[in-house]
Amino acid sequence: MTKLIISSSKFQSAIVDLLPCNNGSKSRLTHSLIDTYGLLQYFDHVVMTPFASKDELLNFHTIEYLNVILDEKLNKRKVEDETYIDNWNYLNQVGIEWLEENKPNESKSFELQANFQDDNDNTIQSTNEIDQYFNSIETLYKYYSYIAKGHKATVKNYNTTSNKKRTSWEALLDELSDDSMENSTDSANDNSSNNSSDTSSEDSNDDSGVDLNDNSSDRLSSKNATQKHEIDSYKATVINDIVDFDVVKLKQYNLVGDCPIFSFLPMYCHVLGGSTLRLLDHIDFNEKQICINWDGGRHHSRKKKASGFCYVNDIVLCIQKLGEKGFRKITYLDFDLHHGDGVEKSFQYSKHIQTISVHLFEPGFFPCTGSLEETKHGFNIVNIPTLHGLDDNYLTYLLNRVIIPLIKKHKPECLVVQCGGDGLIGDRYKEWQMTISGLTKNIMLVLQNFPECSVVLLGGGGYNERVMSRFHTFLTWKVVQTFSSKGSTLLDQFESDYHEEHSTKQNNDTTTMDSANTQSPFSNNMSDILIPEHEFSDFYGEELCRFWAYELPASQYFKQLHNDNIPNYIDKLVKFYNL
Ligand SMILES: [Zn+2]
């Protein structure tokens, strides 16, 4: 039996979409599409309100770096980029309006009641009104403050509830309105370990041994801050003064260029870190699990600096925590277009952690690392540098002849897979030409070759948010189809739910229905099927709402690139890695 766990919610997505490169929409489109297809109900646990404490982030990152990116002042800083925040607000507005029109009962604001205890164990009752879509960042922050206060993530166990399809929002509210809201205020509780001995220092002069003595004063001050924190103290008005940061310091932490300091960065980092770490609260060494967090996979981030849109390295934190859970041998596999440098570097000298990255390696292409030569400097490092034009079939050859045999040699107990999608057709990089169905098939090929291994599937790059929402939804569906403990009957139910929904719609509105709409979007017959109507349908546009818009050869969005990768190269790799 395989246990399925996912971290996905409107709460998580609204916060993750504050990351500038998400175009204010990547995570929300993905969550909403997964929810639209009713896939969340096939998971044993759904993490709804992720949060990672500063102490947990300290297991990899340095205190000096965290003190900058977690500076609470940033959570109240005025958003400077009006255009960017307009996009963020616009997406919420679209969702709210769609719900008001289509599901008026669900569109109202909720009176949210939560009980929690203060630091002297006195029960405090607090009431706040929350809108479904967090129609302003202030509302979102207010809600986040609840989570930060009682930071044990709320989790929905869908398997023990009825099979009735519930929206993630309903589940979230249920969690918060009953006594399942846990009252932990001590963020240090579950942090018995410091830096994993498995992680190597990035630089020789790096303060890799961030010791507890060093943290203790910070931990105390963080506790004091928590004590002072009043849930209702946050005012909807943001502080207008700009927080001053030393430019030299910002450069030192690379918080410039691709990785700017942005408003609500601390909220983003706590939630992003938690979205991966809280999955592991449910993992058990003796049982097979598949954990999913499409917002994770921030593979470039280093101990003490941000890099390539990555501020917190949830992958390294995840691998460390898996080690604490008893997994000794772990393989990290990275499908992102870019080299997984942050993860590779962290486990460069680990004998237990194998890191494998397939990536574009051409002069000047970020991060300019990931050569074959580099694999000689450390243990268990596998780089598969490739050229422009990589396609599905070439990746399959690479997997069958090089990658899977190398993983078999390592004999891992757990796989951590970074499923970035910036190599897909339709991505703005236009470097590789993998299809959603092809990349999914290749990822599933890996999973099926290691049936005993637990798996953590994380997201990554991908800069066409509509393509990414389709890719991660399709991959989620494939995982559910293949591994759901509910078995194939529930898959039939998923399919029939889809048909039922559409036949009801068809009865109500026969004029707009296209016959293609009545097919399951995921049938093996990959015809040109439309994404079902939901709150963000408009974002897919008249042409783009076709699920396979970018990969059907007849589609105007399908563009074939020349594949510069030659078959002989694979033979060379086989020889290089002594296979
Ligand atoms: Zn990338």
Side-chain angles (χ1 to χ4, degrees):
M1 196 182 99
T2 304
K3 199 155 91 179
L4 297 180
I5 309 159
I6 191 169
S7 191
S8 185
S9 59
K10 282 193 172 75
F11 169 75
Q12 178 177 317
S13 288
I15 289 173
V16 170
D17 278 342
L18 294 170
L19 181 70
C21 70
N22 270 24
N23 291 329
S25 62
K26 180 180 172 185
S27 181
R28 281 176 291 178
L29 293 189
T30 303
H31 167 74
S32 118
L33 205 53
I34 288 174
D35 203 25
T36 298
Y37 286 120
L39 296 177
L40 293 178
Q41 65 181 315
Y42 295 99
F43 284 81
D44 297 280
H45 298 291
V46 179
V47 176
M48 310 294 290
T49 55
F51 182 89
S53 68
K54 186 174 185 177
D55 286 307
E56 287 180 290
L57 302 179
L58 266 171
N59 282 329
F60 177 55
H61 296 287
T62 67
I63 187 73
E64 294 81 7
Y65 173 59
L66 289 180
N67 281 343
V68 177
I69 62 169
L70 301 181
D71 189 329
E72 183 61 15
K73 289 199 287 292
L74 290 170
N75 274 341
K76 292 171 185 175
R77 186 185 180 194
K78 185 172 164 45
V79 178
E80 288 166 55
D81 186 343
E82 302 282 347
T83 318
Y84 152 64
I85 216 63
D86 281 353
N87 290 341
W88 191 94
N89 287 332
Y90 176 68
L91 193 69
N92 283 335
Q93 203 49 42
V94 168
I96 292 164
E97 282 169 15
W98 186 87
L99 275 181
E100 278 170 356
E101 202 174 309
N102 293 279
K103 298 178 178 177
N105 293 338
E106 290 180 27
S107 67
K108 291 175 193 154
S109 296
F110 292 87
E111 281 290 309
L112 175 73
Q113 296 207 340
N115 290 316
F116 13 164
Q117 276 152 334
D118 67 11
D119 296 311
N120 300 317
D121 285 345
N122 299 316
T123 300
I124 299 172
Q125 181 148 5
S126 177
T127 303
N128 271 289
E129 195 175 82
I130 300 285
D131 294 315
Q132 284 171 310
Y133 270 89
F134 304 105
N135 62 359
S136 72
I137 291 184
E138 289 72 35
T139 322
L140 178 61
Y141 177 69
K142 203 164 157 186
Y143 186 78
Y144 158 81
S145 298
Y146 274 106
I147 312 306
K149 172 84 175 171
H151 76 82
K152 289 260 166 115
T154 56
V155 172
K156 193 71 220 166
N157 188 340
Y158 277 81
N159 263 355
T160 60
T161 59
S162 73
N163 283 329
K164 181 185 166 291
K165 198 187 284 184
R166 288 146 49 94
T167 64
S168 52
W169 182 255
E170 285 170 333
L172 176 60
L173 282 177
D174 282 359
E175 283 296 312
L176 291 164
S177 58
D178 62 32
D179 57 7
S180 64
M181 178 88 178
E182 302 225 24
N183 303 316
S184 167
T185 53
D186 185 359
S187 62
N189 274 353
D190 43 3
N191 289 286
S192 50
S193 75
N194 194 16
N195 271 0
S196 158
S197 56
D198 249 341
T199 55
S200 72
S201 166
E202 185 184 323
D203 311 308
S204 56
N205 63 349
D206 197 351
D207 45 349
S208 61
V210 180
D211 61 38
L212 284 171
N213 294 334
D214 202 29
N215 303 346
S216 56
S217 60
D218 186 71
R219 190 175 290 170
L220 280 175
S221 64
S222 128
K223 189 165 168 72
N224 288 341
T226 309
Q227 285 170 340
K228 281 182 203 145
H229 188 72
E230 292 294 332
I231 292 303
D232 289 325
S233 68
Y234 183 75
K235 302 283 187 287
T237 51
V238 288
I239 294 172
N240 284 313
D241 59 330
I242 301 300
V243 181
D244 285 324
F245 282 104
D246 180 351
V247 178
V248 177
K249 207 173 182 184
L250 290 185
K251 281 189 178 160
Q252 179 192 341
Y253 299 124
N254 199 33
L255 294 165
V256 288
D258 279 352
C259 304
I261 288 278
F262 60 89
S263 303
F264 300 94
L265 177 61
M267 176 165 75
Y268 167 80
C269 291
H270 280 299
V271 169
L272 189 280
S275 64
T276 296
L277 288 180
R278 295 287 70 81
L279 290 170
L280 307 187
D281 293 345
H282 306 277
I283 208 160
D284 177 353
F285 180 76
N286 299 310
E287 203 181 345
K288 178 174 167 105
Q289 278 109 153
I290 297 184
C291 301
I292 295 179
N293 174 26
W294 299 134
D295 292 323
R298 313 312 300 167
H299 61 168
H300 295 307
S301 167
R302 304 299 182 90
K303 286 172 79 74
K304 54 179 184 182
K305 69 173 192 181
S307 176
F309 311 126
C310 304
Y311 295 81
V312 168
N313 200 319
D314 62 299
I315 306 171
V316 174
L317 290 165
C318 168
I319 292 172
Q320 287 176 317
K321 200 170 174 98
L322 285 168
E324 289 167 24
K325 292 264 175 184
F327 294 89
R328 239 174 94 75
K329 301 200 95 182
I330 298 168
T331 289
Y332 170 69
L333 175 56
D334 188 319
F335 286 105
D336 197 277
L337 179 69
H338 301 89
H339 178 227
D341 56 346
V343 185
E344 178 186 293
K345 198 86 184 160
S346 300
F347 298 107
Q348 186 175 6
Y349 298 108
S350 167
K351 293 195 172 140
H352 306 301
I353 315 298
Q354 179 186 42
T355 59
I356 305 178
S357 177
V358 192
H359 47 267
L360 183 77
F361 187 71
E362 289 190 352
F365 189 75
F366 183 87
C368 301
T369 53
S371 66
L372 287 175
E373 182 60 30
E374 279 169 39
T375 64
K376 295 172 185 165
H377 308 293
F379 305 115
N380 300 310
I381 302 172
V382 178
N383 278 326
I384 315 278
T386 71
L387 301 174
H388 175 83
L390 182 91
D391 60 18
D392 298 335
N393 286 338
Y394 200 88
L395 182 61
T396 307
Y397 292 135
L398 282 173
L399 285 169
N400 282 327
R401 295 203 50 211
V402 185
I403 298 171
I404 290 171
L406 281 169
I407 301 176
K408 284 186 174 160
K409 267 188 165 179
H410 186 66
K411 298 193 181 77
E413 295 151 338
C414 185
L415 299 171
V416 178
V417 187
Q418 199 264 24
C419 308
D422 36 11
L424 290 166
I425 297 171
D427 192 85
R428 73 173 163 84
Y429 274 104
K430 297 184 176 63
E431 288 288 357
W432 285 351
Q433 49 184 333
M434 296 190 294
T435 62
I436 290 169
S437 52
L439 181 53
T440 300
K441 204 177 98 194
N442 278 320
I443 292 168
M444 294 305 292
L445 175 70
V446 176
L447 267 49
Q448 280 155 347
N449 262 278
F450 300 92
E452 304 298 318
C453 279
S454 279
V455 181
V456 181
L457 296 171
L458 302 171
Y463 305 96
N464 179 333
E465 58 275 17
R466 298 176 308 273
V467 167
M468 289 309 293
S469 65
R470 290 178 177 99
F471 167 45
H472 285 154
T473 300
F474 185 62
L475 184 49
T476 306
W477 182 80
K478 269 289 173 194
V479 169
V480 164
Q481 181 199 40
T482 312
F483 296 103
S484 171
S485 57
K486 292 178 177 178
S488 56
T489 50
L490 281 153
L491 191 62
D492 292 342
Q493 190 188 340
F494 162 66
E495 302 248 354
S496 65
D497 273 1
Y498 185 84
H499 285 296
E500 205 177 291
E501 202 173 291
H502 280 264
S503 58
T504 317
K505 264 192 196 166
Q506 203 162 19
N507 291 339
N508 295 341
D509 183 4
T510 50
T511 53
T512 58
M513 285 302 293
D514 181 322
S515 65
N517 272 25
T518 58
Q519 293 176 26
S520 158
F522 302 125
S523 62
N524 289 330
N525 171 21
M526 270 188 18
S527 53
D528 205 357
I529 315 148
L530 301 184
I531 287 170
E533 194 188 338
H534 65 293
E535 66 266 50
F536 299 135
S537 308
D538 289 352
F539 276 74
Y540 295 88
E542 203 174 318
E543 294 296 325
L544 297 172
C545 67
R546 293 173 192 279
F547 201 95
W548 305 109
Y550 289 88
E551 51 199 75
L552 290 174
S555 162
Q556 60 175 300
Y557 300 98
F558 179 80
K559 286 194 178 59
Q560 192 140 22
L561 305 172
H562 182 263
N563 187 353
D564 294 345
N565 299 281
I566 54 170
N568 284 352
Y569 176 61
I570 297 181
D571 297 330
K572 209 180 125 188
L573 287 172
V574 168
K575 212 172 154 191
F576 181 83
Y577 286 113
N578 299 318
L579 293 167

